[in-house]
Amino acid sequence: MMAGELALAALATILLAWLLALVLSHFLPLLLNPKAPRGTFGWPLVGETLRFLTPHASNTLGGFLEDHCARYGRVFKSHLFCTPTVVSCDQDLNHFILQNEERLFQCSYPRPIHGILGKSSMLVVLGEDHKRLRNLALALVTSTKLKPSYLGDIEKIALHVVGSWRQAAEGSKDGSGGGGGGGGGGRVVVGFCEEARKFAFSVIVKQVLGLSPEDPVTARILEDFLAFMKGLISFPLYIPGTPYAKAVQARERISSTVKDIIEERRSPGSCKKGDFLDVLLSTNELSDEEKVSFVLDSLLGGYETTSLLISMVVYFLGQSAEDLGLVKREHDSIRSNKGKEESLTSEDYKKMEYTQHVINEALRCGNIVKFVHRKALKDVRYKEYLIPSGWKVLPVFSAVHLNPSLHGNPQHFQPCRWEGSSQGTSKRFTPFGGGPRLCPGSELAKVEAAFFLHHLVLNYRWRIDGDDIPMAYPYVEFQRGLPIEIEPICHES
């Protein structure tokens, strides 16, 4: 009996010591850094992370940021992702953080992200390794973006996707006898997010690996890639059967598939396809593991960001008949100067000025990238703020995009606000990040969105079927997959 009581007392002592250590480790940074920005740390262990990650409409700040900015200002301290954190909703401080990458701040994504992306991913590597990979990515993008074969591939795949809707709409008309006046076909509801992903994945797989949408390998990669994406945004628990564990396994399968393709390309008699992989295989600067990670990074960027951007454009245009009319008029004008089957060119893309305003406004309102993870490498003083060494730093882009002092009526979709303005990244507009980690493929995403929109507005009328809005989790997603009712436009012969 005595031994049992002693064991219970020892267990209670250990538990009490652990709780005391947990509380001290949580609140000690507050005591050691009294000059850090104002704010609170919340509860031990979880801090304020759950409130920070509470889902909200992506064209709003969400309750957490609204409350904290009102109480503490646009720069405040918190405890997020198990780490003392400075949150910046200030355009100047965000710019300062992004421009001082590797000098004062460093990329610092949560460790579980590394487990899925791999240690050689451009998203997580640091210093010279990141610089080397990004320079290669920039070279590939620069050589690709206005290449006739690339533009031709985009258009061919866009026509294939939108053409499948016309067949479905005509089948719907034949089956139901309905159709709607003046349409030229029946109406059909499609889950637009899925269609946008289909388009974006087909384009990026073609550019990176030279695979067509019909290739069996493409279907296999897509299946694994969907599991990979689900795990990337899941709770990081590596137990067999969990989305996180499935994502790690899916990445291994994708890596194996890419390695098989690399070996096939290296075999005697293999012909070049003029894709990213050919360029990767021609360089000796990267190891095979880095080449595989580079391919995966390219697929990730070209798939998720591009498809979500296209979905955002369709969503916001579906709310504004006036802006949709202006976009359609612009594309009617471009098409009127071309032959019926003539392909779009880089010169046509340059004429899509209002389309670019729409794309930028969709990026500003939709906030595909809400924030990025950084860490202070030393004590950093900026204006009246002290950012302690080792603390996480979160520059929140959406807070700048939705700041009424920078953008009038910030929650309203108004593409005309971009007329006469710079179309690129600035302090008040950072949809793809900034500094040395600015997304190298951002311009490709805009080209693909513009070309897809060209064939969409010329061939269909559409409306959003029911209520669906983009939600920040903090990753952005349409809860219902953005169902839209489409109706083919009848063209005169």
Side-chain angles (χ1 to χ4, degrees):
M1 185 70 178
M2 197 69 177
E5 290 176 351
L6 287 173
L8 283 174
L11 183 62
T13 302
I14 293 171
L15 182 60
L16 185 63
W18 178 77
L19 288 173
L20 184 61
L22 182 65
V23 171
L24 281 175
S25 65
H26 182 79
F27 290 109
L28 193 60
L30 281 174
L31 302 174
L32 297 178
N33 299 281
K35 294 184 179 180
R38 295 187 303 143
T40 58
F41 267 23
W43 293 95
L45 196 62
V46 295
E48 297 187 296
T49 306
L50 297 180
R51 281 195 64 203
F52 179 73
L53 296 178
T54 299
H56 58 89
S58 70
N59 67 334
T60 68
L61 283 184
F64 177 85
L65 289 179
E66 287 178 355
D67 173 65
H68 281 59
C69 286
R71 292 170 62 187
Y72 307 116
R74 300 192 71 80
V75 179
F76 58 87
K77 66 170 171 269
S78 182
H79 201 282
L80 303 173
F81 306 102
C82 303
T83 308
T85 304
V86 170
V87 179
S88 171
C89 298
D90 178 81
Q91 62 160 341
D92 292 322
L93 180 52
N94 286 2
H95 181 74
F96 178 78
I97 294 166
L98 296 175
Q99 295 301 319
N100 282 282
E101 179 81 22
E102 296 295 346
R103 291 190 291 271
L104 302 177
F105 303 95
Q106 192 174 67
C107 181
S108 180
Y109 283 92
R111 183 58 55 185
I113 296 292
H114 296 228
I116 295 181
L117 295 177
K119 63 180 181 180
S120 299
S121 170
M122 186 164 56
L123 296 177
V124 299
V125 295
L126 305 170
E128 289 301 315
D129 287 336
H130 175 264
K131 186 176 181 180
R132 180 165 47 90
L133 290 172
R134 189 171 185 277
N135 285 341
L136 176 60
L138 285 171
L140 284 169
V141 167
T142 301
S143 66
T144 297
K145 66 180 180 181
L146 295 180
K147 191 189 296 182
S149 60
Y150 166 65
L151 300 181
D153 286 338
I154 296 174
E155 190 160 24
K156 180 181 177 182
I157 294 168
L159 285 168
H160 174 76
V161 172
V162 301
S164 67
W165 305 342
R166 184 174 291 274
Q167 295 170 6
E170 289 173 351
S172 172
K173 182 180 180 181
D174 292 342
S176 65
R187 294 190 180 98
V188 66
V189 175
V190 299
F192 188 80
C193 286
E194 184 62 31
E195 298 298 306
R197 290 189 187 110
K198 188 190 305 181
F199 164 74
F201 192 79
S202 296
V203 171
I204 196 63
V205 166
K206 175 68 174 175
Q207 294 308 310
V208 175
L209 297 173
L211 298 173
S212 67
E214 300 80 21
D215 196 307
V217 180
T218 302
R220 190 164 75 244
I221 294 175
L222 178 57
E223 182 180 354
D224 285 332
F225 202 77
L226 291 175
F228 170 81
M229 287 302 304
K230 287 179 182 177
L232 194 60
I233 55 179
S234 67
F235 188 77
L237 189 64
Y238 193 91
I239 295 177
T242 62
Y244 182 82
K246 289 179 180 178
V248 174
Q249 295 160 4
R251 187 194 185 281
E252 292 173 355
R253 291 194 298 272
I254 296 171
S255 297
S256 178
T257 300
V258 173
K259 286 175 183 176
D260 290 343
I261 295 172
I262 288 175
E263 289 305 311
E264 184 180 331
R265 292 283 184 95
R266 283 173 170 165
S267 62
S270 176
C271 59
K272 292 185 178 296
K273 296 190 176 184
D275 51 27
F276 280 18
L277 190 57
D278 278 344
V279 178
L280 285 177
L281 294 179
S282 69
T283 180
N284 295 320
E285 293 184 21
L286 305 182
S287 66
D288 277 0
E289 183 59 37
E290 286 176 320
K291 290 172 182 176
V292 170
S293 279
F294 191 94
V295 168
L296 192 61
D297 289 343
S298 300
L299 294 176
L300 176 61
Y303 171 76
E304 187 64 16
T305 304
T306 303
S307 63
L308 193 49
L309 170 56
I310 296 170
S311 297
M312 287 288 187
V313 169
V314 167
Y315 169 77
F316 285 114
L317 284 179
Q319 314 279 325
S320 175
E322 180 181 356
D323 290 308
L324 178 56
L326 290 170
V327 169
K328 188 175 187 307
R329 193 180 309 161
E330 180 172 80
H331 288 275
D332 276 332
S333 175
I334 292 170
R335 181 50 58 185
S336 68
N337 293 314
K338 304 180 74 66
K340 186 176 180 181
E341 303 295 330
E342 190 177 350
S343 299
L344 292 170
T345 66
S346 59
E347 291 304 311
D348 294 322
Y349 176 65
K350 293 173 184 176
K351 295 174 184 176
M352 300 178 186
E353 294 182 8
Y354 199 77
T355 300
Q356 290 301 319
H357 300 337
V358 167
I359 289 172
N360 278 343
E361 186 67 350
L363 288 167
R364 186 195 67 80
C365 286
N367 295 296
I368 294 173
V369 180
K370 180 178 178 178
F371 63 90
V372 291
H373 293 258
R374 295 293 182 267
K375 178 178 72 175
L377 296 175
K378 59 182 77 172
D379 282 352
V380 178
R381 290 189 178 275
Y382 181 80
K383 296 183 179 178
E384 69 270 30
Y385 307 116
L386 170 68
I387 303 174
S389 175
W391 280 34
K392 181 178 282 292
V393 185
L394 298 184
V396 182
F397 304 144
S398 60
V400 176
H401 295 164
L402 300 172
N403 186 341
S405 67
L406 302 174
H407 308 278
N409 296 317
Q411 292 182 342
H412 288 78
F413 182 74
Q414 297 175 343
C416 60
R417 75 172 78 239
W418 295 97
E419 292 176 358
S421 301
S422 169
Q423 299 293 310
T425 299
S426 65
K427 285 185 181 181
R428 64 189 187 97
F429 183 57
T430 50
F432 296 103
R437 286 185 176 267
L438 175 68
C439 176
S442 57
E443 189 59 34
L444 297 187
K446 291 183 176 184
V447 172
E448 291 169 27
F451 273 41
F452 188 92
L453 193 60
H454 175 82
H455 292 289
L456 175 61
V457 300
L458 294 185
N459 288 286
Y460 295 95
R461 302 181 186 91
W462 79 88
R463 68 175 185 84
I464 299 171
D465 185 52
D467 295 325
D468 202 8
I469 60 173
M471 295 289 291
Y473 289 90
Y475 63 92
V476 178
E477 183 175 81
F478 287 87
Q479 292 176 297
R480 298 177 57 229
L482 192 59
I484 63 171
E485 184 181 80
I486 59 172
E487 177 185 7
I489 296 173
C490 183
H491 295 287
E492 296 180 4
S493 300

